[in-house]
Amino acid sequence: MRVSVDISLYPLTEQFVEPILAFIKKLEDNPKLNISRNNLSTQIFGEYRDVMDAMDAEIEAVFEQLPHSVFVLKMIGNDRYHVED
């Protein structure tokens, strides 16, 4: 089953840009995922298990370095990568 996730990271620190960009870069480096960015969030598309495994690993890494961070997620149970708004 393919899924789509809209995810936002809010590190509660004055130096918030670099952790966000590093998080997105790690996701973009995963060849099993399709990633789309905009100014407010990042969208992740792929097979459910691949998406969840990648998010699990990368969210844990953020929390280890910046425990005072907030993630906001929205998920849908199909792949909307090629859907035009």
Side-chain angles (χ1 to χ4, degrees), residues 9-73:
L9 165 57
Y10 302 98
L12 303 179
T13 179
E14 289 183 26
Q15 289 75 37
F16 60 89
V17 174
E18 188 55 40
I20 294 170
L21 295 177
F23 174 75
I24 295 169
K25 175 78 169 106
K26 293 290 267 182
L27 293 172
E28 288 176 332
D29 287 346
N30 186 326
K32 295 179 180 179
L33 307 178
N34 290 314
I35 307 295
S36 178
R37 308 183 193 196
N38 64 45
N39 291 334
L40 298 175
S41 64
T42 300
Q43 290 78 45
I44 308 166
F45 308 92
E47 290 296 328
Y48 178 84
R49 183 50 42 211
D50 295 333
V51 169
M52 297 306 289
D53 288 348
M55 287 194 323
D56 180 50
E58 299 313 325
I59 289 171
E60 182 178 19
V62 168
F63 283 149
E64 286 175 349
Q65 292 186 350
L66 298 164
H68 298 287
S69 296
V70 176
F71 285 91
V72 177
L73 300 152

